[in-house]
Amino acid sequence: MQLSKDQQDAISTILDWYKSPTRKQYITLGGYAGTGKTTVIAELRSLLPVDLKVAYCAYTGKATSVLRNKLLKNKSIYKDDKTGTIHSLIYEPILQGDEIIGWRKQPVLEYDLIIVDESSMVSRDIFDDLLSYGKPIICIGDHGQLPPISDDDFNLMSNPEIRLEIIHRYDNSEESPLLKISEIARKDGFIKYGIYGDNVLKVKPKESGFITQFVKMMGNFENSFCVVGFNNTRIQMNRKFRTWLKRPDCPLVGDRIICLRNNKNATDIPIYNGMIGTLTEKFSCEKFYDVSCRFDGETELYKGYINKNNFNAEKQPPMEYVYKSEILKWKKQNSVGDYYSVNNNIIRKKERIALDNFDYAYAITCHKSQGSEMENVMVLEQKCSYWSSDDMWRRWLYTAVTRSRKNLLIVSEEG
């Protein structure tokens, strides 16, 4: 590979860290879009022993899928290496019969090195679980993005030890407009109206022709979303997009939905705040929906019970619960099967189950979009006094525009 000086320096620093007998357990590598983070990791892997077992992982299935595709393109996944979510790497299911009733940390991790992508999404408790295995960890992320929303301000990318800040991919004609617009957003926090490339442009709201054409390109939103600044705008835009798709005011099979609250003990796969997927099955009960959902990048279906009151809610309602006895009664009345029996014996009928929180994912806030990339992204610029500093606004705009892999439309009254 043709490596730049900053990429060579990054690799040397990581190798020195890895080989040091007194190294601390983890090292952080931050890099802006287009600076070659994956290139650095691919070259690093070629310099490590072939028989070394490396686990590449990310917070969500979607982020893992993006990482895996980049690594395969660079031929940097070796025979005994693994790519997967952090959860699949370090947790195993607790079974009662055929039912998953929880997850526990695996006692042993059979890998020599862990490389975590999109590290700013990783919470303190999950990172503590990763550290508990005593394995060396390389944490990678984009330090130009918004910091995650968390109760303890934990952020592995707040001050990375190694930084890649020179963009090297302008020679790629497909990526060039997106990289240029991301650099403008990060440095200036202001993008002028205009066309920057094929389907990469900024327009005023009154330029309805461009907007209508772009929405048509977004199709059924399987690989598209709209990034907004505020919750009320998110609700309005979700209604508009679903009206465009001729969908009624309730979730249907085929709807794009987003998880709003972590549940590590969800059936079949754990779910995390910000995961986006497609509703594949839905039954409606008085208090809840019984659903299946295929999350982007995941192989297993999520199956669970979700709160009806969350969809298009201006304020997230408090956690709600339902008794298993209510679920069993409803399932029997509606002949939809019984997920809560072992050898035909009902178990834990009095157990309370927390209803999972979801909402539509046609439009999502910028914070929720972190870790996701889509082919088609519409961004509604919404700058106001909420953004306490110019730096936070630049981070917001940079995060929003870097969600796009190919086509980007920015709509704004300012420009």
Side-chain angles (χ1 to χ4, degrees):
M1 294 183 183
Q2 293 294 322
L3 298 174
S4 62
K5 185 178 184 305
D6 64 327
Q7 291 171 337
Q8 292 172 358
D9 290 344
I11 292 169
S12 296
T13 302
I14 295 173
L15 284 174
D16 288 344
W17 162 81
Y18 184 75
K19 295 174 181 178
S20 171
T22 59
R23 68 173 178 235
K24 69 169 191 173
Q25 191 175 349
Y26 69 94
I27 191 169
T28 52
L29 167 64
Y32 300 142
T35 56
K37 296 187 291 293
T38 308
T39 300
V40 166
I41 293 305
E43 180 66 12
L44 175 71
R45 183 64 186 95
S46 72
L47 298 174
L48 294 171
V50 174
D51 59 353
L52 193 77
K53 294 182 179 180
V54 178
Y56 302 97
C57 57
Y59 193 61
T60 66
K62 178 68 172 179
T64 301
S65 177
V66 172
L67 174 63
R68 182 185 298 113
N69 290 336
K70 290 179 179 178
L71 292 169
L72 288 172
K73 185 178 179 180
N74 285 279
K75 299 180 180 179
S76 50
I77 301 177
Y78 290 16
K79 177 184 175 183
D80 293 324
D81 295 347
K82 172 188 174 68
T83 60
T85 62
I86 297 173
H87 197 278
S88 68
L89 177 66
I90 65 175
Y91 300 115
E92 61 184 11
I94 302 169
L95 298 174
Q96 184 158 352
D98 294 328
E99 181 193 359
I100 296 175
I101 60 172
W103 298 81
R104 63 188 165 213
K105 192 166 70 72
Q106 297 195 55
V108 178
L109 194 62
E110 300 292 344
Y111 292 92
D112 306 304
L113 173 66
I114 303 171
I115 299 178
V116 184
D117 197 21
E118 297 286 355
S119 293
S120 63
M121 299 178 68
V122 178
S123 62
R124 184 185 295 276
D125 61 331
I126 289 179
F127 192 60
D128 285 344
D129 282 348
L130 276 169
L131 290 172
S132 69
Y133 292 101
K135 307 290 185 177
I137 303 172
I138 303 173
C139 302
I140 306 170
D142 188 333
H143 56 294
Q145 292 185 21
L146 282 170
I149 297 176
S150 64
D151 294 333
D152 57 5
D153 295 324
F154 180 75
N155 180 10
L156 286 166
M157 285 295 110
S158 61
N159 187 24
E161 297 154 84
I162 308 169
R163 297 174 182 239
L164 297 172
E165 299 185 339
I166 301 172
I167 295 176
H168 300 290
R169 297 210 309 264
Y170 276 150
D171 57 338
N172 185 317
S173 59
E174 185 175 300
E175 292 180 326
S176 180
L178 291 172
L179 291 174
K180 287 178 179 177
I181 213 168
S182 71
E183 189 172 28
I184 293 169
R186 177 173 51 79
K187 289 181 175 179
D188 303 334
F190 179 79
I191 299 169
K192 293 180 180 180
Y193 293 123
I195 298 174
Y196 293 81
D198 292 342
N199 295 316
V200 178
L201 65 161
K202 178 175 177 177
V203 302
K204 297 178 181 179
K206 65 182 180 182
E207 297 182 73
S208 58
F210 286 112
I211 297 171
T212 300
Q213 182 180 351
F214 198 88
V215 173
K216 286 181 179 178
M217 187 166 59
M218 295 171 90
N220 62 1
F221 286 74
E222 283 287 339
N223 205 356
S224 311
F225 56 38
C226 177
V227 178
V228 302
F230 305 110
N231 193 50
N232 58 352
T233 308
R234 177 188 65 81
I235 293 170
Q236 293 170 14
M237 294 306 297
N238 272 322
R239 285 174 176 156
K240 286 183 178 181
F241 288 130
R242 294 188 78 255
T243 298
W244 174 278
L245 295 169
K246 298 181 180 179
R247 291 183 169 267
D249 194 22
C250 66
L252 297 178
V253 169
D255 263 323
R256 296 288 284 167
I257 58 175
I258 183 169
C259 175
L260 301 180
R261 182 177 283 140
N262 297 349
N263 181 359
K264 288 201 296 186
N265 294 322
T267 304
D268 292 332
I269 63 168
I271 56 175
Y272 295 105
N273 193 348
M275 289 175 67
I276 297 173
T278 300
L279 202 60
T280 57
E281 189 176 35
K282 188 203 85 171
F283 299 98
S284 182
C285 183
E286 180 182 354
K287 297 180 180 179
F288 59 88
Y289 294 123
D290 178 6
V291 306
S292 296
C293 176
R294 184 170 300 284
F295 285 106
D296 297 348
E298 300 285 357
T299 55
E300 299 294 331
L301 284 177
Y302 157 81
K303 296 178 181 179
Y305 308 101
I306 66 177
N307 192 342
K308 277 188 170 184
N309 298 321
N310 247 107
F311 289 89
N312 279 337
E314 293 185 8
K315 189 175 182 180
Q316 186 168 306
M319 181 71 79
E320 295 188 25
Y321 297 84
V322 63
Y323 284 103
K324 276 192 177 178
S325 57
E326 296 179 68
I327 295 174
L328 296 169
K329 179 180 178 181
W330 173 78
K331 283 180 175 292
K332 184 176 181 181
Q333 291 172 344
N334 292 274
S335 302
V336 294
D338 173 20
Y339 299 157
Y340 293 95
S341 66
V342 178
N343 298 325
N344 296 319
N345 295 316
I346 304 302
I347 57 174
R348 302 195 311 280
K349 291 173 66 173
K350 293 184 178 181
E351 181 182 343
R352 285 200 317 168
I353 296 176
L355 299 179
D356 291 323
N357 287 353
F358 286 84
D359 204 346
Y360 300 116
Y362 301 93
I364 60 178
T365 62
C366 191
H367 270 108
K368 296 288 188 192
S369 75
Q370 289 183 270
S372 293
E373 289 183 1
M374 295 289 174
E375 188 167 295
N376 312 301
V377 175
M378 178 187 293
V379 175
L380 301 188
E381 275 193 10
Q382 296 185 290
K383 188 175 183 181
C384 75
S385 58
Y386 173 81
W387 304 108
S388 57
S389 68
D390 289 340
D391 177 63
M392 284 298 291
W393 168 249
R394 286 192 296 269
R395 287 176 179 274
W396 186 96
L397 188 58
Y398 172 73
T399 303
V401 300
T402 53
R403 300 309 89 206
S404 172
R405 285 201 308 268
K406 186 175 181 181
N407 304 311
L408 173 68
L409 173 67
I410 304 169
V411 182
S412 175
E413 292 284 6
E414 299 180 14

PDB file of all heavy atoms in Angstrom, residues 306-330:
ATOM      1  N   ILE A 306     -43.342  -4.528  22.144  1.00  0.00           N
ATOM      2  CA  ILE A 306     -42.943  -3.127  22.111  1.00  0.00           C
ATOM      3  C   ILE A 306     -44.101  -2.223  22.508  1.00  0.00           C
ATOM      4  O   ILE A 306     -45.277  -2.541  22.306  1.00  0.00           O
ATOM      5  CB  ILE A 306     -42.364  -2.733  20.738  1.00  0.00           C
ATOM      6  CG1 ILE A 306     -43.419  -2.810  19.638  1.00  0.00           C
ATOM      7  CG2 ILE A 306     -41.188  -3.624  20.385  1.00  0.00           C
ATOM      8  CD1 ILE A 306     -42.889  -2.358  18.281  1.00  0.00           C
ATOM      9  N   ASN A 307     -43.730  -1.091  23.047  1.00  0.00           N
ATOM     10  CA  ASN A 307     -44.691  -0.129  23.579  1.00  0.00           C
ATOM     11  C   ASN A 307     -45.431   0.570  22.442  1.00  0.00           C
ATOM     12  O   ASN A 307     -44.811   1.192  21.581  1.00  0.00           O
ATOM     13  CB  ASN A 307     -43.930   0.892  24.434  1.00  0.00           C
ATOM     14  CG  ASN A 307     -44.858   1.760  25.256  1.00  0.00           C
ATOM     15  OD1 ASN A 307     -46.043   1.865  24.982  1.00  0.00           O
ATOM     16  ND2 ASN A 307     -44.299   2.388  26.280  1.00  0.00           N
ATOM     17  N   LYS A 308     -46.742   0.500  22.454  1.00  0.00           N
ATOM     18  CA  LYS A 308     -47.544   1.178  21.432  1.00  0.00           C
ATOM     19  C   LYS A 308     -47.415   2.688  21.506  1.00  0.00           C
ATOM     20  O   LYS A 308     -47.529   3.383  20.499  1.00  0.00           O
ATOM     21  CB  LYS A 308     -49.023   0.810  21.593  1.00  0.00           C
ATOM     22  CG  LYS A 308     -49.445  -0.482  20.964  1.00  0.00           C
ATOM     23  CD  LYS A 308     -50.958  -0.625  21.042  1.00  0.00           C
ATOM     24  CE  LYS A 308     -51.454  -1.793  20.208  1.00  0.00           C
ATOM     25  NZ  LYS A 308     -52.924  -1.869  20.213  1.00  0.00           N
ATOM     26  N   ASN A 309     -47.193   3.200  22.721  1.00  0.00           N
ATOM     27  CA  ASN A 309     -47.263   4.640  22.937  1.00  0.00           C
ATOM     28  C   ASN A 309     -46.009   5.388  22.500  1.00  0.00           C
ATOM     29  O   ASN A 309     -45.961   6.615  22.613  1.00  0.00           O
ATOM     30  CB  ASN A 309     -47.526   4.928  24.423  1.00  0.00           C
ATOM     31  CG  ASN A 309     -48.846   4.353  24.887  1.00  0.00           C
ATOM     32  OD1 ASN A 309     -49.824   4.390  24.154  1.00  0.00           O
ATOM     33  ND2 ASN A 309     -48.871   3.803  26.091  1.00  0.00           N
ATOM     34  N   ASN A 310     -44.999   4.661  22.016  1.00  0.00           N
ATOM     35  CA  ASN A 310     -43.759   5.324  21.654  1.00  0.00           C
ATOM     36  C   ASN A 310     -43.768   5.952  20.263  1.00  0.00           C
ATOM     37  O   ASN A 310     -43.040   6.898  20.000  1.00  0.00           O
ATOM     38  CB  ASN A 310     -42.591   4.343  21.727  1.00  0.00           C
ATOM     39  CG  ASN A 310     -41.635   4.693  22.835  1.00  0.00           C
ATOM     40  OD1 ASN A 310     -41.593   4.020  23.850  1.00  0.00           O
ATOM     41  ND2 ASN A 310     -40.887   5.766  22.656  1.00  0.00           N
ATOM     42  N   PHE A 311     -44.569   5.402  19.377  1.00  0.00           N
ATOM     43  CA  PHE A 311     -44.528   5.856  17.998  1.00  0.00           C
ATOM     44  C   PHE A 311     -45.056   7.281  17.872  1.00  0.00           C
ATOM     45  O   PHE A 311     -46.169   7.594  18.281  1.00  0.00           O
ATOM     46  CB  PHE A 311     -45.303   4.900  17.090  1.00  0.00           C
ATOM     47  CG  PHE A 311     -44.588   3.589  16.903  1.00  0.00           C
ATOM     48  CD1 PHE A 311     -44.800   2.537  17.778  1.00  0.00           C
ATOM     49  CD2 PHE A 311     -43.674   3.425  15.883  1.00  0.00           C
ATOM     50  CE1 PHE A 311     -44.129   1.339  17.629  1.00  0.00           C
ATOM     51  CE2 PHE A 311     -42.994   2.224  15.720  1.00  0.00           C
ATOM     52  CZ  PHE A 311     -43.219   1.183  16.591  1.00  0.00           C
ATOM     53  N   ASN A 312     -44.184   8.144  17.321  1.00  0.00           N
ATOM     54  CA  ASN A 312     -44.489   9.568  17.131  1.00  0.00           C
ATOM     55  C   ASN A 312     -44.776  10.291  18.444  1.00  0.00           C
ATOM     56  O   ASN A 312     -45.487  11.301  18.471  1.00  0.00           O
ATOM     57  CB  ASN A 312     -45.665   9.772  16.171  1.00  0.00           C
ATOM     58  CG  ASN A 312     -45.232   9.668  14.712  1.00  0.00           C
ATOM     59  OD1 ASN A 312     -44.063   9.859  14.401  1.00  0.00           O
ATOM     60  ND2 ASN A 312     -46.171   9.360  13.837  1.00  0.00           N
ATOM     61  N   ALA A 313     -44.222   9.783  19.548  1.00  0.00           N
ATOM     62  CA  ALA A 313     -44.413  10.444  20.840  1.00  0.00           C
ATOM     63  C   ALA A 313     -43.481  11.640  20.948  1.00  0.00           C
ATOM     64  O   ALA A 313     -42.292  11.545  20.644  1.00  0.00           O
ATOM     65  CB  ALA A 313     -44.141   9.469  21.979  1.00  0.00           C
ATOM     66  N   GLU A 314     -44.011  12.794  21.375  1.00  0.00           N
ATOM     67  CA  GLU A 314     -43.185  13.990  21.525  1.00  0.00           C
ATOM     68  C   GLU A 314     -42.175  13.827  22.648  1.00  0.00           C
ATOM     69  O   GLU A 314     -41.085  14.392  22.604  1.00  0.00           O
ATOM     70  CB  GLU A 314     -44.077  15.207  21.784  1.00  0.00           C
ATOM     71  CG  GLU A 314     -44.951  15.569  20.585  1.00  0.00           C
ATOM     72  CD  GLU A 314     -45.740  16.837  20.811  1.00  0.00           C
ATOM     73  OE1 GLU A 314     -45.481  17.515  21.831  1.00  0.00           O
ATOM     74  OE2 GLU A 314     -46.603  17.141  19.983  1.00  0.00           O
ATOM     75  N   LYS A 315     -42.539  13.050  23.659  1.00  0.00           N
ATOM     76  CA  LYS A 315     -41.635  12.785  24.775  1.00  0.00           C
ATOM     77  C   LYS A 315     -41.675  11.302  25.057  1.00  0.00           C
ATOM     78  O   LYS A 315     -42.740  10.697  25.129  1.00  0.00           O
ATOM     79  CB  LYS A 315     -42.074  13.577  26.020  1.00  0.00           C
ATOM     80  CG  LYS A 315     -41.078  13.531  27.162  1.00  0.00           C
ATOM     81  CD  LYS A 315     -41.522  14.443  28.301  1.00  0.00           C
ATOM     82  CE  LYS A 315     -40.504  14.440  29.434  1.00  0.00           C
ATOM     83  NZ  LYS A 315     -40.920  15.315  30.559  1.00  0.00           N
ATOM     84  N   GLN A 316     -40.496  10.705  25.208  1.00  0.00           N
ATOM     85  CA  GLN A 316     -40.438   9.264  25.434  1.00  0.00           C
ATOM     86  C   GLN A 316     -41.145   8.909  26.727  1.00  0.00           C
ATOM     87  O   GLN A 316     -40.813   9.427  27.794  1.00  0.00           O
ATOM     88  CB  GLN A 316     -38.984   8.797  25.480  1.00  0.00           C
ATOM     89  CG  GLN A 316     -38.832   7.288  25.578  1.00  0.00           C
ATOM     90  CD  GLN A 316     -37.412   6.838  25.325  1.00  0.00           C
ATOM     91  OE1 GLN A 316     -36.822   7.154  24.317  1.00  0.00           O
ATOM     92  NE2 GLN A 316     -36.841   6.102  26.273  1.00  0.00           N
ATOM     93  N   PRO A 317     -42.146   8.021  26.671  1.00  0.00           N
ATOM     94  CA  PRO A 317     -42.879   7.654  27.890  1.00  0.00           C
ATOM     95  C   PRO A 317     -42.010   6.838  28.830  1.00  0.00           C
ATOM     96  O   PRO A 317     -40.992   6.278  28.423  1.00  0.00           O
ATOM     97  CB  PRO A 317     -44.050   6.815  27.343  1.00  0.00           C
ATOM     98  CG  PRO A 317     -43.559   6.271  26.047  1.00  0.00           C
ATOM     99  CD  PRO A 317     -42.638   7.314  25.484  1.00  0.00           C
ATOM    100  N   PRO A 318     -42.399   6.765  30.096  1.00  0.00           N
ATOM    101  CA  PRO A 318     -41.639   5.941  31.044  1.00  0.00           C
ATOM    102  C   PRO A 318     -41.734   4.465  30.673  1.00  0.00           C
ATOM    103  O   PRO A 318     -42.625   4.064  29.913  1.00  0.00           O
ATOM    104  CB  PRO A 318     -42.321   6.235  32.387  1.00  0.00           C
ATOM    105  CG  PRO A 318     -43.703   6.680  32.022  1.00  0.00           C
ATOM    106  CD  PRO A 318     -43.569   7.417  30.727  1.00  0.00           C
ATOM    107  N   MET A 319     -40.819   3.698  31.228  1.00  0.00           N
ATOM    108  CA  MET A 319     -40.825   2.259  30.966  1.00  0.00           C
ATOM    109  C   MET A 319     -42.163   1.659  31.376  1.00  0.00           C
ATOM    110  O   MET A 319     -42.666   1.921  32.465  1.00  0.00           O
ATOM    111  CB  MET A 319     -39.699   1.590  31.749  1.00  0.00           C
ATOM    112  CG  MET A 319     -39.603   0.094  31.535  1.00  0.00           C
ATOM    113  SD  MET A 319     -38.997  -0.332  29.907  1.00  0.00           S
ATOM    114  CE  MET A 319     -37.236  -0.069  30.123  1.00  0.00           C
ATOM    115  N   GLU A 320     -42.750   0.853  30.485  1.00  0.00           N
ATOM    116  CA  GLU A 320     -44.010   0.180  30.781  1.00  0.00           C
ATOM    117  C   GLU A 320     -43.788  -1.325  30.775  1.00  0.00           C
ATOM    118  O   GLU A 320     -42.879  -1.831  30.115  1.00  0.00           O
ATOM    119  CB  GLU A 320     -45.075   0.580  29.760  1.00  0.00           C
ATOM    120  CG  GLU A 320     -45.451   2.057  29.836  1.00  0.00           C
ATOM    121  CD  GLU A 320     -46.646   2.394  28.964  1.00  0.00           C
ATOM    122  OE1 GLU A 320     -47.460   1.480  28.699  1.00  0.00           O
ATOM    123  OE2 GLU A 320     -46.765   3.565  28.558  1.00  0.00           O
ATOM    124  N   TYR A 321     -44.636  -2.035  31.520  1.00  0.00           N
ATOM    125  CA  TYR A 321     -44.472  -3.465  31.703  1.00  0.00           C
ATOM    126  C   TYR A 321     -45.774  -4.191  31.406  1.00  0.00           C
ATOM    127  O   TYR A 321     -46.853  -3.597  31.424  1.00  0.00           O
ATOM    128  CB  TYR A 321     -44.053  -3.784  33.144  1.00  0.00           C
ATOM    129  CG  TYR A 321     -42.715  -3.203  33.535  1.00  0.00           C
ATOM    130  CD1 TYR A 321     -42.610  -1.888  33.975  1.00  0.00           C
ATOM    131  CD2 TYR A 321     -41.550  -3.972  33.461  1.00  0.00           C
ATOM    132  CE1 TYR A 321     -41.384  -1.343  34.336  1.00  0.00           C
ATOM    133  CE2 TYR A 321     -40.322  -3.443  33.818  1.00  0.00           C
ATOM    134  CZ  TYR A 321     -40.245  -2.132  34.255  1.00  0.00           C
ATOM    135  OH  TYR A 321     -39.032  -1.603  34.606  1.00  0.00           O
ATOM    136  N   VAL A 322     -45.644  -5.492  31.147  1.00  0.00           N
ATOM    137  CA  VAL A 322     -46.815  -6.342  30.968  1.00  0.00           C
ATOM    138  C   VAL A 322     -46.497  -7.688  31.613  1.00  0.00           C
ATOM    139  O   VAL A 322     -45.348  -8.144  31.606  1.00  0.00           O
ATOM    140  CB  VAL A 322     -47.165  -6.503  29.466  1.00  0.00           C
ATOM    141  CG1 VAL A 322     -46.032  -7.197  28.720  1.00  0.00           C
ATOM    142  CG2 VAL A 322     -48.468  -7.251  29.287  1.00  0.00           C
ATOM    143  N   TYR A 323     -47.500  -8.325  32.224  1.00  0.00           N
ATOM    144  CA  TYR A 323     -47.298  -9.637  32.831  1.00  0.00           C
ATOM    145  C   TYR A 323     -47.346 -10.729  31.767  1.00  0.00           C
ATOM    146  O   TYR A 323     -48.097 -10.632  30.791  1.00  0.00           O
ATOM    147  CB  TYR A 323     -48.363  -9.916  33.888  1.00  0.00           C
ATOM    148  CG  TYR A 323     -48.132  -9.174  35.177  1.00  0.00           C
ATOM    149  CD1 TYR A 323     -48.871  -8.041  35.482  1.00  0.00           C
ATOM    150  CD2 TYR A 323     -47.178  -9.614  36.092  1.00  0.00           C
ATOM    151  CE1 TYR A 323     -48.666  -7.345  36.667  1.00  0.00           C
ATOM    152  CE2 TYR A 323     -46.964  -8.932  37.279  1.00  0.00           C
ATOM    153  CZ  TYR A 323     -47.714  -7.800  37.562  1.00  0.00           C
ATOM    154  OH  TYR A 323     -47.493  -7.114  38.721  1.00  0.00           O
ATOM    155  N   LYS A 324     -46.563 -11.769  31.968  1.00  0.00           N
ATOM    156  CA  LYS A 324     -46.570 -12.880  31.026  1.00  0.00           C
ATOM    157  C   LYS A 324     -47.954 -13.506  30.920  1.00  0.00           C
ATOM    158  O   LYS A 324     -48.345 -13.985  29.860  1.00  0.00           O
ATOM    159  CB  LYS A 324     -45.541 -13.937  31.436  1.00  0.00           C
ATOM    160  CG  LYS A 324     -44.141 -13.626  30.961  1.00  0.00           C
ATOM    161  CD  LYS A 324     -43.239 -14.824  31.122  1.00  0.00           C
ATOM    162  CE  LYS A 324     -41.853 -14.518  30.573  1.00  0.00           C
ATOM    163  NZ  LYS A 324     -40.925 -15.649  30.750  1.00  0.00           N
ATOM    164  N   SER A 325     -48.687 -13.498  32.020  1.00  0.00           N
ATOM    165  CA  SER A 325     -50.034 -14.077  31.980  1.00  0.00           C
ATOM    166  C   SER A 325     -50.916 -13.335  30.979  1.00  0.00           C
ATOM    167  O   SER A 325     -51.733 -13.938  30.281  1.00  0.00           O
ATOM    168  CB  SER A 325     -50.670 -14.028  33.380  1.00  0.00           C
ATOM    169  OG  SER A 325     -50.699 -12.691  33.867  1.00  0.00           O
ATOM    170  N   GLU A 326     -50.735 -11.996  30.866  1.00  0.00           N
ATOM    171  CA  GLU A 326     -51.497 -11.227  29.883  1.00  0.00           C
ATOM    172  C   GLU A 326     -51.095 -11.616  28.465  1.00  0.00           C
ATOM    173  O   GLU A 326     -51.948 -11.747  27.581  1.00  0.00           O
ATOM    174  CB  GLU A 326     -51.262  -9.733  30.085  1.00  0.00           C
ATOM    175  CG  GLU A 326     -51.745  -9.167  31.408  1.00  0.00           C
ATOM    176  CD  GLU A 326     -51.441  -7.687  31.517  1.00  0.00           C
ATOM    177  OE1 GLU A 326     -52.041  -6.896  30.764  1.00  0.00           O
ATOM    178  OE2 GLU A 326     -50.584  -7.324  32.344  1.00  0.00           O
ATOM    179  N   ILE A 327     -49.799 -11.799  28.266  1.00  0.00           N
ATOM    180  CA  ILE A 327     -49.304 -12.182  26.939  1.00  0.00           C
ATOM    181  C   ILE A 327     -49.837 -13.560  26.553  1.00  0.00           C
ATOM    182  O   ILE A 327     -50.329 -13.768  25.437  1.00  0.00           O
ATOM    183  CB  ILE A 327     -47.766 -12.184  26.918  1.00  0.00           C
ATOM    184  CG1 ILE A 327     -47.235 -10.761  27.121  1.00  0.00           C
ATOM    185  CG2 ILE A 327     -47.236 -12.762  25.613  1.00  0.00           C
ATOM    186  CD1 ILE A 327     -45.723 -10.682  27.258  1.00  0.00           C
ATOM    187  N   LEU A 328     -49.772 -14.504  27.489  1.00  0.00           N
ATOM    188  CA  LEU A 328     -50.218 -15.868  27.203  1.00  0.00           C
ATOM    189  C   LEU A 328     -51.705 -15.902  26.885  1.00  0.00           C
ATOM    190  O   LEU A 328     -52.144 -16.597  25.967  1.00  0.00           O
ATOM    191  CB  LEU A 328     -49.897 -16.767  28.396  1.00  0.00           C
ATOM    192  CG  LEU A 328     -48.405 -16.946  28.702  1.00  0.00           C
ATOM    193  CD1 LEU A 328     -48.223 -17.626  30.052  1.00  0.00           C
ATOM    194  CD2 LEU A 328     -47.731 -17.744  27.601  1.00  0.00           C
ATOM    195  N   LYS A 329     -52.475 -15.133  27.640  1.00  0.00           N
ATOM    196  CA  LYS A 329     -53.916 -15.080  27.405  1.00  0.00           C
ATOM    197  C   LYS A 329     -54.211 -14.517  26.023  1.00  0.00           C
ATOM    198  O   LYS A 329     -55.028 -15.045  25.269  1.00  0.00           O
ATOM    199  CB  LYS A 329     -54.585 -14.220  28.484  1.00  0.00           C
ATOM    200  CG  LYS A 329     -56.093 -14.090  28.321  1.00  0.00           C
ATOM    201  CD  LYS A 329     -56.674 -13.225  29.424  1.00  0.00           C
ATOM    202  CE  LYS A 329     -58.179 -13.049  29.240  1.00  0.00           C
ATOM    203  NZ  LYS A 329     -58.759 -12.188  30.304  1.00  0.00           N
ATOM    204  N   TRP A 330     -53.509 -13.451  25.683  1.00  0.00           N
ATOM    205  CA  TRP A 330     -53.728 -12.826  24.381  1.00  0.00           C
ATOM    206  C   TRP A 330     -53.302 -13.759  23.250  1.00  0.00           C
ATOM    207  O   TRP A 330     -53.983 -13.890  22.234  1.00  0.00           O
ATOM    208  CB  TRP A 330     -52.930 -11.515  24.314  1.00  0.00           C
ATOM    209  CG  TRP A 330     -52.958 -10.888  22.967  1.00  0.00           C
ATOM    210  CD1 TRP A 330     -53.957 -10.168  22.410  1.00  0.00           C
ATOM    211  CD2 TRP A 330     -51.922 -10.957  21.981  1.00  0.00           C
ATOM    212  NE1 TRP A 330     -53.625  -9.780  21.140  1.00  0.00           N
ATOM    213  CE2 TRP A 330     -52.387 -10.249  20.856  1.00  0.00           C
ATOM    214  CE3 TRP A 330     -50.657 -11.544  21.947  1.00  0.00           C
ATOM    215  CZ2 TRP A 330     -51.626 -10.110  19.704  1.00  0.00           C
ATOM    216  CZ3 TRP A 330     -49.894 -11.417  20.800  1.00  0.00           C
ATOM    217  CH2 TRP A 330     -50.378 -10.705  19.706  1.00  0.00           C
TER     218      TRP A 330
END
